[in-house]
Structure formats: structure tokens, C-alpha cells
Amino acid sequence: NAGVTQTPKFQVLKTGQSMTLQCAQDMNHEYMSWYRQDPGMGLRLIHYSVGAGITDQGEVPNGYNVSRSTTEDFPLRLLSAAPSQTSVYFCASSYPGAVGELFFGEGSRLTVL
Amino acid sequence: GNSVTQMEGPVTLSEEAFLTINCTYTATGYPSLFWYVQYPGEGLQLLLKATKADDKGSNKGFEATYRKETTSFHLEKGSVQVSDSAVYFCARRLTGGGNKLTFGTGTQLKVEL
């Protein structure tokens, strides 16, 4: 009964460090996406994928890379972390027939010092 | 543009009070509309949706009607409970594939005894 699993749940980085936020889903969903949640701004789409090998940019892609080598996994990479990337990150998955119904992970809280 | 505007919180109500959280959207055409709820420490989960004009979405005592004349999708509940305390997000579906959504800024609801 795992659903969407994100790791780590908490992370503190120094400016310039790199890291990867992991996201895995066990529901065989074709669609996966990453959002960031900031106070007063709601959730904003970073990157999304409609299937293995296919990714595209969302609203705020700068500073983030993604890849989708398998249906299950959709990691989010920060190559050189900046304080502006301090946020809570949510991974979500869905399938084509479920109009707008996203299944979210529990979130990863990232602090960049 | 593709924006969703919802009333600012926090909203504090007594148990059994009536709840309204306003949401309006801008769009070309008639996008599918959603309300998501986020309980403390958790990811978002779909509360209800409406996929075309005049549709009413409902779940767990919450309702929202898709009104194209006023481009609104207000969330209502006749009698709130302490367990309804959460952050509520209005969202609309974006065009293109991938089940992409754009979210409002969220409204925090606190229900007290």
C-alpha cells in the first residue's frame, strides 16, 4: 500500500551542493510530476513526465533536472543548490484516464543555507 | 492567463459552522476544476472535482459547483468538524498532456470546538 514514496523527507544543504530527491510509485502510473510548495504561492509545477523517456518543463524548471528511465521512478536533481530553492517538494503521479486526480507523496522539506 | 485565485486565510470557525472558501479562475474555455485538501504533515489529496460547466462535485459533505458565468468554483460545507482542519487548494487543469494542474495559494481552515 505504498503509493508515492519520496525520500528524503528532510534535507539541509549548503549553497552550491548538489542532491537528488527520489520519487517512486508502485501504481504503474504513466504520468509523474514534481511541484514545489512555498508560503503564499501554493504549488508550482517544476517538471513533469508522460511516460518513461519523456520529460518536459513546467512553470519553474530553472535549477532542476529530471529523468524518467523507468515507469516507477522520477528523480529530481538540484545541480547547484541556491537558497531560493528552499521549499517543500511534492512528487505526484496519475494515469491518463484520471482527469486531474493526482496522487501525492508526503513531501520532502529542503533547506538551502 | 492560467491562474486560480482563492480567498486568503486563515479561516477559523466553530464546529458545526457553515464554510465557504471562494475560488475563481481565468482560462480560455472550460477547464476541469478541483479542490484538494492537505492535512498536517501530509501530501495533497483530491477532495472533489467538476469536469464541465454546471457540474457539482461533492465528497465528505463538501460541495462545489462549476459556474462558468462567474468563473467560480467555491467550496462549501454545511457543518464543519474539527477533523476538517486542513489547508484547501483550488486547482484547474492545464492544457496539454500529463494531467498538469495549476493551484491557488491555499486557504488554511481551523475548526475549533
Side-chain angles (χ1 to χ4, degrees):
Chain A
N1 201 25
V4 179
T5 302
Q6 291 182 232
T7 56
K9 286 186 168 42
F10 300 94
Q11 183 72 49
V12 178
L13 291 178
K14 294 181 180 178
T15 297
Q17 287 185 317
S18 62
M19 79 156 300
T20 299
L21 298 177
Q22 302 290 346
C23 176
Q25 53 94 6
D26 62 0
M27 297 173 283
N28 202 31
H29 286 169
E30 293 180 44
Y31 298 162
M32 296 187 75
S33 50
W34 276 102
Y35 290 82
R36 59 178 288 174
Q37 182 180 27
D38 301 293
M41 303 191 75
L43 278 79
R44 293 179 291 169
L45 180 65
I46 305 172
H47 285 285
Y48 67 99
S49 169
V50 297
I54 306 169
T55 63
D56 207 344
Q57 297 180 352
E59 181 185 1
V60 288
N62 292 341
Y64 307 95
N65 284 344
V66 293
S67 59
R68 184 97 180 271
S69 57
T70 67
T71 299
E72 294 78 18
D73 300 299
F74 191 45
L76 179 71
R77 298 183 183 85
L78 286 71
L79 296 181
S80 179
S84 61
Q85 294 178 303
T86 294
S87 186
V88 180
Y89 292 85
F90 287 98
C91 180
S93 72
S94 66
Y95 58 96
V99 175
E101 182 172 5
L102 305 183
F103 294 81
F104 282 86
E106 294 185 348
S108 298
R109 182 176 294 275
L110 174 66
T111 301
V112 183
L113 302 176
Chain B
N2 295 319
S3 68
V4 174
T5 303
Q6 60 183 105
M7 63 186 286
E8 291 189 17
V11 174
T12 303
L13 296 174
S14 299
E15 201 170 42
E16 299 184 0
F18 184 86
L19 169 71
T20 300
I21 301 178
N22 292 337
C23 172
T24 58
Y25 67 92
T26 58
T28 302
Y30 304 108
S32 297
L33 301 173
F34 311 88
W35 277 100
Y36 275 77
V37 58
Q38 183 181 30
Y39 298 103
E42 299 182 9
L44 282 71
Q45 53 187 279
L46 180 65
L47 179 60
L48 55 82
K49 68 179 181 182
T51 58
K52 61 183 186 295
D54 300 324
D55 265 2
K56 177 184 284 188
S58 61
N59 187 25
K60 300 181 180 180
F62 291 90
E63 293 183 340
T65 301
Y66 190 141
R67 301 198 185 280
K68 66 178 187 296
E69 301 85 3
T70 54
T71 61
S72 65
F73 192 55
H74 304 324
L75 182 68
E76 297 181 335
K77 187 175 186 183
S79 176
V80 294
Q81 305 299 312
V82 172
S83 57
D84 293 327
S85 298
V87 181
Y88 293 82
F89 291 90
C90 186
R92 54 151 287 181
R93 194 181 185 193
L94 295 171
T95 56
N99 256 342
K100 303 186 298 293
L101 302 183
T102 186
F103 289 84
T105 55
T107 302
Q108 183 172 8
L109 170 66
K110 182 178 180 182
V111 181
E112 300 174 331
L113 290 172

